[in-house]
Amino acid sequence: MKIFTWRNFFRTAIWGGGTLLAVGLLGLIVLLVYLGRLSQDLPSIDELAEYEPPITSRVHAGDGRLIAEFARERRVFVPIERLQPDLTNAFLAAEDANFYEHGGLDFVGIVRATINNVGNVIRDDRLEGASTITQQVAKNFLLSSEQRLERKLREMLLARRIERAFEKDEILELYLNEIYFGRRSYGVAAAAMNYFGKSLDELTLSESAFLAAVVNGPARFHPIRHPERTLNRRNWVLSRMAAEGFITQEEAEAAADEPLRVIERFQGEEYLAAEYFVEEVRRQLFDTYGEEQLYNGGLSIRTTLDTRLQLAARTALRNGLEAYDRRHGYRGPLGEIEAGEGWPERLAAFEDMPSDVDAEWLPAVVLAVNAQDVRIGYLIAPEDEGSEVIDIERQDEDEEEIELDPAEGQIALSELEWARQALEDGLMGPVINTPADVLSVGDVILVESLTDEAGEPDGFGLRQVPAINGALLALDPHTGRVLAMAGGYSFQQSQFNRATQARRQPGSSFKPFVYAAALDNGYTPVSMILDAPFVASGGPDLRFYRPQNYSERFYGMSTLRLGLELSRNVMTVRLAQEMGMEPIAEYGERFGIYDDLEPVLAMSLGAGETTLWRLVTAYGALVNGGARIEPTILDRVQDRQGESIYVHDPRASEAYDVEEWSPALIEPEVPDLGEAVISPVTAYQIVHILEGAVQRGTGNALRSLGRPLAGKTGTTNDFRDAWFVGFGPDIVVGAYVGFDTPQEMGSGEAGGRVAAPIVRDFLEVALENYPVAPFRVPEGVSLVPIDSRSGEPSVLGRPGTILEAFQPGSEPSQSGDDGETGLTFTGGSVSGGDGDEDEDLGGIY
């Protein structure tokens, strides 16, 4: 037995302690070697110094409104000095209160988290982290997110390096512009826009706290799926801000009492209206700058779009297509469901509902068919109960649906009379006598709530999505800026842009360019052309070519003006034969309507295919004094540094660069845009004749607008395509309507009936911001009083007299038949004139 002595005790202790010390030293050496090896393989922090994150490319309308964003990661980089204190303090309080004191690692926080996590493990709660903001920068920028000890050690080493290389504000700036907030939002600026529709300087204290809360876990703190959890997290951030002294307790409590309101951006009629335009912008930018620059390059894109006019364009086009559709009958219900008990659940689950219907339309199910009406069931959103937790304006498509309440209503027989069976070629079935002729119990349909003259609810009307389609395009003829573009009834139903991509025959809307060629080849507006039966060789595919007027009548000798005003087919073809097709083909190509027009007589009536984009551009050249300007949807594109990489109007001059205006300044010379394709006099002559088409001819749909306007209809064989181009001195608008797979629209469905009302309805809104002014008369035009029917000289004031525009030297004799002397006006003086209504317009063609 060993006897205890203090000597033996200390000897053993020293020996054992030495062993432990040796083991400790050895472990420390191994750890240092391991950390050394890790540090040798660390990513370079130079990447942070050269940080250029993917940034959202933003698209603005010409009036400054943000209309779209292109990005894989929605991010807008904001310098630290632009961030308000409440926002940065919210993140410091929630994520790293000691950020400005520690050197990259918060050892106090690590110990606290370790102790707390013991209890979290026992309670099976979520583990508490202790990463500093610097560590998160290291992980987000330079490392992966894998949960491994090695990655954590590398993160800590990098955090120390980052702290030595960067100022604290620089680190915080990197963090706040990089982190993910959900909703594809990267960085605080994008998150503020995507959650609240606000810039950073507009955020409230409550909203700043929400952003600091949601970044901890966008899926866990989802304001729609988990509103209570999200609200509690936001309020916890506010309490931490008060505890750290960033705000007072009273401010924290006031902010915590505020409801949580988030929005869904780029929703509503204004954004839906611009979808075709935005897609055209995306396509052009993709082709020009490539995918990487478009989606990651942070381009600032200023477009030509006028959002007010764009909404008017979509409304006018949809109303016009729906009006045509209702004239040609009902194609049946969307489907059928059981109409008995439980119909609300079955209606809510119905899957064949069309997208992007009018905002006022509702899906409904027929519950009963009576003698004079139909009883329907539909679903409505519950009334707002004033929730103190959350107020949602719109939801993401992949999120939970809002529960809808069932309701019932009636469709009167009078609202079903239009719904005769739709047949082929625009024909319809028998007249509707009872509701049972149209609907059956269980039919799933679309309805619209109606009101009476006093604005009180007055039942419902039956609706359907049109099968026909079309497009509308409006541009400024002097700059080429596209002001509005509607490429179809619904972008969500079809992304095919009929304004730019649909190649169709323009019909008679090509005639102005035939007559322009004639005016430049020896004809005048009063030249007489025979309107009589005409037969010509039809070429290899057609033995004889025999054109017909719309009215199937002939009118004898008529002036060239009447031929265009009243859209006489036979006169136009005879004119083309007399003149030859070569100059007509040349003018079609010169104006950009066609690339290679075959010089056969049928082409003089618009048998060649073109697009609405090209045709409206050509009309713009007529209004612009004969100078053709390539249209544009882009005004300016800037890169992420703000440098302009594209400018539509390049007419820059140092003469514009002055600090302030003074009367002594000489106005700089501004070169004209565009390429002259015909003389200003010829261009005005055609414009002046087309004014007559509105006053006395086929463009009379615009007459109700009560101002100087011009226009031309177009219809192709068998009523397959309907066109109308209308214009004023400063705007040109074209509309096209037809089935995507060409088929007859129905007898009488010509350009004046189908397309012209669409242009009229658009111009009624658009012209509110344009002054009432005549078309500009260029120098060199001779305006001579003539009889609008015979083309003979006349005197002002005589019924049927108009001022006709002539090329210098081509004017007719000025002696009236009663000895009175007519008057001649030289360009720049007056424009237009009134005449009697032609009793036979030759049909609307």
Side-chain angles (χ1 to χ4, degrees):
M1 181 176 181
K2 191 172 182 180
I3 299 174
F4 171 83
T5 65
W6 286 106
R7 181 187 298 272
N8 291 336
F9 171 79
F10 284 113
R11 181 181 297 152
T12 302
I14 292 172
W15 175 256
T19 302
L20 291 174
L21 179 60
V23 171
L25 288 173
L26 180 61
L28 180 60
I29 293 171
V30 171
L31 177 61
L32 291 175
V33 171
Y34 178 64
L35 292 176
R37 292 182 61 184
L38 286 179
S39 64
Q40 293 175 1
D41 193 32
L42 289 176
S44 172
I45 63 173
D46 292 342
E47 182 179 331
L48 299 181
E50 301 170 359
Y51 177 56
E52 286 194 350
I55 297 179
T56 300
S57 291
R58 312 181 79 193
V59 184
H60 288 84
D63 51 20
R65 182 167 189 167
L66 181 67
I67 57 175
E69 293 176 342
F70 301 129
R72 294 191 187 93
E73 299 178 0
R74 291 179 181 171
R75 179 186 286 105
V76 180
F77 189 88
V78 180
I80 188 69
E81 58 269 16
R82 296 279 304 277
L83 302 177
Q84 56 169 305
D86 278 346
L87 183 64
T88 55
N89 289 338
F91 282 90
L92 293 176
E95 297 293 318
D96 191 356
N98 298 322
F99 173 72
Y100 282 96
E101 282 73 45
H102 63 65
L105 303 176
D106 185 0
F107 295 104
V108 174
I110 292 172
V111 172
R112 181 181 63 249
T114 302
I115 296 172
N116 292 341
N117 282 335
V118 173
N120 291 333
V121 170
I122 295 173
R123 293 187 300 271
D124 197 27
D125 288 344
R126 190 168 183 263
L127 296 181
E128 180 179 327
S131 292
T132 64
I133 285 177
T134 312
Q135 287 177 262
Q136 294 185 56
V137 168
K139 179 184 69 175
N140 291 335
F141 283 85
L142 305 174
L143 299 172
S144 68
S145 297
E146 59 182 346
Q147 298 295 324
R148 292 176 53 191
L149 177 60
E150 179 180 324
R151 199 274 301 161
K152 193 67 177 179
L153 292 174
R154 288 159 61 87
E155 174 189 299
M156 297 170 73
L157 292 171
L158 275 172
R160 293 291 299 154
R161 287 190 181 184
I162 291 170
E163 288 281 347
R164 290 193 294 267
F166 294 92
E167 299 291 335
K168 284 286 189 179
D169 282 350
E170 293 175 324
I171 298 171
L172 187 58
E173 178 182 85
L174 290 170
Y175 171 76
L176 292 176
N177 282 286
E178 176 66 18
I179 48 179
Y180 179 61
F181 289 83
R183 289 194 170 190
R184 294 176 58 203
S185 304
Y186 292 80
V188 287
M193 291 298 295
N194 289 334
Y195 280 104
F196 304 114
K198 295 182 177 182
S199 60
L200 292 176
D201 57 356
E202 296 174 318
L203 292 177
T204 65
L205 174 59
S206 171
E207 292 163 346
S208 295
F210 165 80
L211 294 181
V214 76
V215 75
N216 188 256
R220 294 185 68 247
F221 302 109
H222 194 287
I224 295 174
R225 295 193 184 114
H226 310 296
E228 185 175 357
R229 182 192 299 169
T230 304
L231 193 67
N232 291 338
R233 177 70 182 182
R234 182 204 65 179
N235 294 345
W236 175 83
V237 173
L238 290 168
S239 68
R240 291 295 307 143
M241 293 179 73
E244 296 294 337
F246 294 134
I247 58 175
T248 65
Q249 187 62 38
E250 290 75 15
E251 289 173 325
E253 292 174 356
D257 288 337
E258 293 181 15
L260 182 57
R261 295 186 174 93
V262 298
I263 68 165
E264 182 65 23
R265 299 177 66 211
F266 303 122
Q267 296 287 341
E269 291 293 310
E270 295 84 356
Y271 296 109
L272 289 173
E275 287 180 316
Y276 282 104
F277 185 91
V278 167
E279 173 58 17
E280 191 66 24
V281 170
R282 189 203 65 79
R283 187 182 296 117
Q284 288 193 20
L285 293 172
F286 187 94
D287 292 342
T288 304
Y289 300 108
E291 181 178 4
E292 182 65 23
Q293 184 80 327
L294 175 60
Y295 291 103
N296 292 336
L299 299 178
S300 177
I301 304 141
R302 176 59 66 92
T303 71
T304 62
L305 187 74
D306 184 313
T307 55
R308 185 181 71 90
L309 298 190
Q310 182 62 41
L311 184 57
R314 182 177 190 259
T315 301
L317 179 62
R318 291 181 75 130
N319 288 346
L321 297 177
E322 290 167 8
Y324 165 86
D325 191 67
R326 285 170 63 86
R327 290 198 296 269
H328 293 276
Y330 182 55
R331 295 185 301 280
L334 302 173
E336 296 179 358
I337 63 173
E338 172 59 45
E341 185 178 352
W343 67 261
E345 291 76 15
R346 289 188 288 274
L347 181 60
F350 185 77
E351 296 181 350
D352 294 331
M353 201 64 65
S355 60
D356 189 23
V357 296
D358 282 4
E360 296 80 14
W361 292 8
L362 297 169
V365 59
V366 176
L367 301 178
V369 178
N370 306 313
Q372 294 297 317
D373 63 25
V374 170
R375 183 163 57 89
I376 61 170
Y378 58 97
L379 302 174
I380 59 173
E383 295 184 4
D384 184 10
E385 297 178 357
S387 168
E388 297 182 358
V389 176
I390 189 162
D391 178 19
I392 303 298
E393 293 184 10
R394 294 293 295 258
Q395 290 181 267
D396 290 333
E397 292 181 359
D398 60 346
E399 289 166 354
E400 302 154 17
E401 296 290 337
I402 297 175
E403 291 187 5
L404 301 176
D405 293 337
E408 295 186 6
Q410 282 77 35
I411 303 176
L413 174 60
S414 60
E415 289 298 324
L416 297 173
E417 292 175 349
W418 69 268
R420 297 161 62 185
Q421 182 183 3
L423 305 175
E424 293 183 357
D425 299 330
L427 302 177
M428 292 192 294
V431 173
I432 303 303
N433 295 310
T434 69
D437 293 338
V438 181
L439 298 174
S440 302
V441 173
D443 284 352
V444 178
I445 58 176
L446 291 171
V447 299
E448 181 178 13
S449 178
L450 305 177
T451 56
D452 59 21
E453 295 181 356
E456 296 297 322
D458 190 26
F460 288 83
L462 177 66
R463 300 292 180 260
Q464 71 180 354
V465 175
I468 201 167
N469 228 307
L472 183 147
L473 182 70
L475 58 79
D476 182 328
H478 310 298
T479 64
R481 300 176 72 248
V482 174
L483 305 175
M485 176 197 294
Y489 182 81
S490 166
F491 183 81
Q492 296 178 34
Q493 294 171 19
S494 169
Q495 286 76 55
F496 182 68
N497 190 336
R498 295 155 191 84
T500 60
Q501 296 175 299
R503 298 182 60 85
R504 305 296 283 258
Q505 295 178 348
S508 296
S509 57
F510 178 63
K511 287 178 182 175
F513 307 96
V514 176
Y515 286 76
L519 293 174
D520 281 344
N521 281 272
Y523 293 83
T524 76
V526 296
S527 295
M528 304 301 289
I529 308 295
L530 179 61
D531 187 356
F534 177 86
V535 179
S537 172
D541 299 328
L542 184 66
R543 186 175 180 183
F544 297 109
Y545 178 56
R546 186 178 180 182
Q548 292 286 329
N549 289 325
Y550 178 86
S551 63
E552 298 183 355
R553 295 173 56 191
F554 301 96
Y555 301 90
M557 297 297 290
S558 301
T559 64
L560 185 145
R561 167 181 278 275
L562 280 177
L564 185 53
E565 279 188 0
L566 304 180
S567 199
R568 300 264 177 84
N569 288 342
V570 177
M571 282 183 63
T572 304
V573 176
R574 191 180 296 276
L575 174 65
Q577 188 187 51
E578 289 182 6
M579 180 173 50
M581 278 298 300
E582 285 73 16
I584 295 173
E586 179 194 350
Y587 272 51
E589 295 165 14
R590 186 187 296 183
F591 276 90
I593 301 172
Y594 302 109
D595 292 327
D596 185 15
L597 182 64
E598 187 179 1
V600 298
L601 288 177
M603 296 301 172
S604 67
L605 299 182
E609 292 183 344
T610 189
T611 64
L612 182 63
W613 177 278
R614 285 184 161 206
L615 189 66
V616 172
T617 302
Y619 274 82
L622 296 175
V623 185
N624 194 40
R628 181 182 183 276
I629 299 176
E630 190 65 33
T632 181
I633 57 177
L634 300 174
D635 275 340
R636 181 183 297 269
V637 180
Q638 295 168 284
D639 63 18
R640 66 194 301 157
Q641 282 80 34
E643 296 294 327
S644 294
I645 56 178
Y646 169 83
V647 179
H648 168 61
D649 190 344
R651 298 176 295 174
S653 170
E654 293 182 359
Y656 298 124
D657 189 12
V658 294
E659 292 185 0
E660 60 182 15
W661 180 86
S662 72
L665 289 174
I666 299 176
E667 183 177 339
E669 290 291 331
V670 181
D672 293 331
L673 278 175
E675 174 189 2
V677 289
I678 56 173
S679 73
V681 174
T682 302
Y684 177 75
Q685 286 181 292
I686 296 298
V687 167
H688 191 45
I689 293 174
L690 294 181
E691 279 191 274
V694 169
Q695 296 163 3
R696 296 172 294 277
T698 61
N700 57 58
L702 301 188
R703 197 184 311 159
S704 63
L705 298 180
R707 60 165 69 208
L709 294 171
K712 184 68 188 77
T713 55
T715 311
T716 60
N717 287 342
D718 300 322
F719 302 100
R720 291 175 180 267
D721 302 279
W723 301 72
F724 186 78
V725 181
F727 53 92
D730 298 301
I731 188 171
V732 181
V733 188
Y736 154 77
V737 176
F739 289 94
D740 287 343
T741 300
Q743 65 185 66
E744 292 185 29
M745 295 188 294
S747 179
E749 297 291 5
R753 188 183 192 195
V754 181
I758 295 173
V759 173
R760 178 200 62 210
D761 293 349
F762 171 81
L763 284 174
E764 187 173 12
V765 176
L767 292 175
E768 292 175 0
N769 288 351
Y770 287 83
V772 178
F775 286 94
R776 300 168 183 84
V777 185
E779 293 296 328
V781 172
S782 292
L783 293 168
V784 178
I786 66 162
D787 183 274
S788 61
R789 286 182 169 278
S790 66
E792 294 295 326
S794 185
V795 293
L796 291 177
R798 178 178 294 175
T801 297
I802 64 170
L803 283 174
E804 187 59 270
F806 291 91
Q807 301 272 359
S810 68
E811 307 92 334
S813 170
Q814 298 304 302
S815 295
D817 56 10
D818 57 0
E820 296 181 80
T821 302
L823 300 175
T824 301
F825 299 87
T826 303
S829 52
V830 307
S831 172
D834 293 323
D836 289 341
E837 184 80 15
D838 195 309
E839 73 272 12
D840 186 348
L841 300 181
I844 301 176
Y845 198 73

